[in-house]
Amino acid sequence: DLNEVLTPNRRSSVLSIWTFYVAVAKCLHPSLKGLAISGALVLFHAIMRNPAKLASDIVRSKTVASGSGDNDSSDDDSKVMVQHSDAV
């Protein structure tokens, strides 16, 4: 009789262990692998950035936000032309 060998308590234990294995091996492990790849790409991108350009961008954004400093950048002189059609 198989019911004597695999008691409900043993079956429950085996199924719990199997569920834990599937959750870790098939769900958590690929998720962590994807997270590691994504983190490595973000770090690689951050390392490859030019620190001098980042510093100048930060200084420029602070001077534009405060309204002080020279306004001789080409961004301030650009204008956008928009045509309005008469909607009748």
Side-chain angles (χ1 to χ4, degrees), residues 2-3 12 14 19 22 27 29-30 32 35 37 40-41 44 48-49 57 66-67 70 76 81 86-87:
L2 194 58
N3 209 13
S12 176
V14 168
T19 302
V22 168
C27 299
H29 188 264
L32 289 178
L35 187 65
I37 291 171
L41 288 174
F44 179 71
M48 296 304 292
R49 298 282 308 253
D57 288 345
S66 66
D70 298 332
D76 295 335
M81 300 294 289
D86 292 334

Side-chain angles (χ1 to χ4, degrees), residues 1-11 14:
D1 189 21
L2 194 58
N3 209 13
E4 292 174 6
V5 176
L6 288 175
T7 62
N9 192 17
R10 286 183 183 168
R11 281 186 294 204
V14 168

Side-chain angles (χ1 to χ4, degrees), residues 47-68:
I47 290 170
M48 296 304 292
R49 298 282 308 253
N50 184 359
K53 182 176 179 341
L54 289 176
S56 68
D57 288 345
I58 292 170
V59 170
R60 185 178 306 136
S61 69
K62 285 183 180 179
T63 57
V64 169
S66 66
S68 64

Side-chain angles (χ1 to χ4, degrees), residues 9-29:
N9 192 17
R10 286 183 183 168
R11 281 186 294 204
S12 176
S13 298
V14 168
L15 288 175
S16 296
I17 292 170
W18 184 255
T19 302
F20 181 75
Y21 166 75
V22 168
V24 169
K26 301 295 181 185
C27 299
L28 184 63
H29 188 264

